[in-house]
Amino acid sequence: MTRRLPLTGILILSLAGCGLQLPRIGGGDVPSAAQAPGAETPRPEARPDGAPPDVAEGAEEPAAGASETPATGGTTLATLGDATLAGLWLETPLVTAIGQGRVTTGTGRSTMLELRPSGGQPGSGSRLSLAAMQALGLVLTAVVEVTVEPL
């Protein structure tokens, strides 16, 4: 004897599997946890100079005419970058312009390559080319700490 699920049972199970919420039987409306913000929701106020509002309270403005110190190398965590791009290169936030440099691993292996700015924030990590990973003898799935020295 075979047992068959009625069509409504199949429909309910398939909708539940999709993550859709089914109406409650015999219950009232249940408020959703995520609701659109109302008029009473506090919002950041616009500044008179037109700059976006500060996220952190008490954040200091940079001095007029002050510029960031250009990145000049250091240590970073690196992973495999875009394997379809040929060449020996490292995309890193430790440099601000394309140039030549040396990358050294903790084991002492090093290679000369092209340093490319990644545009990321300091500490955001770097990406090595496939050829650079192979030249350094690294496992392609590794996250490795490297020292970057612009030349």
Side-chain angles (χ1 to χ4, degrees):
M1 177 162 107
T2 61
R3 190 169 176 167
R4 300 179 73 182
L5 226 88
L7 182 59
T8 54
I10 293 172
L11 180 62
I12 290 172
L13 289 174
S14 64
L15 289 175
C18 294
L20 297 176
Q21 291 187 359
L22 301 175
R24 292 185 171 263
I25 299 174
D29 287 340
V30 177
S32 171
Q35 297 179 358
E40 68 280 347
T41 305
R43 306 227 189 265
E45 294 180 20
R47 295 189 339 201
D49 61 358
D54 290 332
V55 176
E57 232 178 89
E60 294 184 21
E61 292 289 322
S67 64
E68 293 183 24
T69 306
T72 57
T75 8
T76 184
L77 293 177
T79 58
L80 178 64
D82 186 350
T84 62
L85 298 176
L88 287 165
W89 50 264
L90 172 73
E91 290 178 336
T92 181
L94 298 175
V95 297
T96 56
I98 294 176
Q100 294 299 308
R102 178 187 324 273
V103 172
T104 308
T105 65
T107 61
R109 291 191 75 170
S110 68
T111 188
M112 301 289 289
L113 44 68
E114 181 179 80
L115 299 175
R116 300 175 180 174
S118 67
Q121 295 296 319
S124 64
S126 303
R127 294 175 297 277
L128 279 162
S129 69
L130 177 62
M133 293 281 280
Q134 292 171 335
L136 293 168
L138 300 173
V139 177
L140 298 181
T141 57
V143 177
V144 62
E145 186 174 30
V146 295
T147 302
V148 180
E149 301 171 61
L151 301 177

